[in-house]
């Protein structure tokens, strides 16, 4: 039941993000700047428990939420982004702003042919090996790569790739676990 709810939220957030993305394109706005605006808005909301509570509380009227948006973001945001927030308030979707931000990032990455991935290794990888690995990833995927590098010594060795939510686990820990399962089932 929970996974259906998550996918439904993603679907709704994707529609809103795509609408904002298309609007930015129609109006000739810099889509990277719009992303920066969304990040600033989410950071501002998350930095204040009271502000977050106002935006997600169904008891607070739409007019009150829009007044808060005008007061906090009115001068700081482009008109298009502020109007987007106003419509989210009107449609009672302000609580989805973080999900909309994530979906907007995905739209921008798709448009710019960028894949975001996380590479986890057992030890720190030096810069020359990182560059070589990044070059090979770009060649394999035929996309630009934005890589976040992580260290987790529990994987023992090898690498784990998380590519837009798809995990490719080539760690020694996983290989040992798989070997143990095969031995036990024989």
């Amino acid at each position: 039941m929970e996974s259906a709810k998550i996918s439904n939220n993603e679907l709704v957030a994707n529609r809103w993000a795509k609408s904002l993305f298309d609007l930015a394109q129609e109006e000739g706005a810099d889509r990277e700047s719009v992303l920066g605006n969304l990040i600033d808005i989410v950071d501002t909301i998350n930095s204040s428990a009271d502000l977050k509570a106002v935006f997600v509380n169904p008891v607070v009227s739409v007019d009150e939420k829009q007044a808060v948006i005008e007061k906090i973001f009115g001068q700081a945001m482009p008109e298009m982004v502020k109007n987007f927030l106003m419509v989210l308030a009107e449609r009672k979707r302000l609580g989805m702003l973080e999900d909309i931000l994530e979906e907007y990032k995905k739209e921008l990455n798709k448009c710019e042919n960028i894949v975001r991935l996380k590479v986890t290794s057992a030890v720190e990888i030096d810069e020359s090996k990182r560059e070589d690995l990044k070059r090979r990833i770009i060649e394999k995927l035929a996309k630009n790569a934005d890589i976040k590098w992580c260290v987790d010594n529990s994987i023992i060795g090898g690498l784990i790739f998380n590519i837009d939510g798809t995990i490719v686990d080539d760690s020694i820990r996983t290989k040992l676990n798989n070997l143990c399962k095969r031995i036990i089932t024989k």
Side-chain angles (χ1 to χ4, degrees):
M1 186 72 160
E2 186 66 28
S3 63
K5 182 179 178 187
I6 291 171
S7 62
N8 187 37
N9 281 348
E10 281 181 27
L11 180 65
V12 172
N14 179 269
R15 287 180 183 156
W16 282 100
K18 185 140 180 47
S19 295
L20 179 60
F21 191 82
D22 292 345
L23 180 63
Q25 187 169 359
E26 285 173 22
E27 294 198 4
D30 178 26
R31 294 175 299 210
E32 286 280 344
S33 294
V34 173
L35 174 62
N37 295 144
L38 287 176
I39 291 169
D40 291 344
I41 292 165
V42 168
D43 288 347
T44 300
I45 293 169
N46 287 339
S47 69
S48 170
D50 292 337
L51 182 58
K52 193 170 193 167
V54 165
F55 283 162
V56 298
N57 189 338
V59 175
V60 178
S61 74
V62 169
D63 289 339
E64 290 172 310
K65 289 177 184 182
Q66 288 178 332
V68 170
I69 290 168
E70 184 64 46
K71 185 172 183 174
I72 294 174
F73 302 112
Q75 300 298 315
M77 293 294 146
E79 194 71 18
M80 179 189 71
V81 175
K82 185 185 77 169
N83 289 341
F84 180 75
L85 290 176
M86 296 293 198
V87 173
L88 287 177
E90 187 178 307
R91 301 287 173 90
K92 299 175 178 31
R93 298 291 190 198
L94 283 172
M96 296 188 72
L97 203 50
E98 282 187 71
D99 294 328
I100 293 168
L101 169 62
E102 289 308 310
E103 294 299 318
Y104 187 91
K105 286 179 187 177
K106 290 177 186 176
E107 283 295 316
L108 187 60
N109 290 339
K110 188 171 30 173
C111 180
E112 295 182 353
N113 201 30
I114 297 173
V115 64
R116 295 196 191 278
L117 61 138
K118 178 178 162 185
V119 177
T120 305
S121 60
V123 295
E124 191 70 37
I125 300 174
D126 68 55
E127 195 60 37
S128 65
K129 289 182 181 171
R130 282 184 181 191
E131 287 303 317
D132 182 51
L133 187 56
K134 182 176 182 175
R135 180 187 52 75
R136 290 191 287 161
I137 289 169
I138 290 170
E139 285 174 11
K140 281 272 192 215
L141 299 177
K143 292 186 177 204
N144 293 319
D146 181 17
I147 303 174
K148 178 180 176 188
W149 302 93
C150 300
V151 175
D152 178 358
N153 60 8
S154 73
I155 69 170
I156 304 169
L159 298 170
I160 300 174
F161 299 90
N162 184 334
I163 307 166
D164 287 335
T166 301
I167 297 175
V168 178
D169 190 339
D170 194 34
S171 68
I172 292 176
R173 175 184 64 195
T174 297
K175 289 177 182 179
L176 287 172
N177 286 341
N178 291 341
L179 179 62
C180 287
K181 288 176 186 174
R182 282 191 305 233
I183 291 172
I184 290 171
T185 60
K186 287 187 177 186

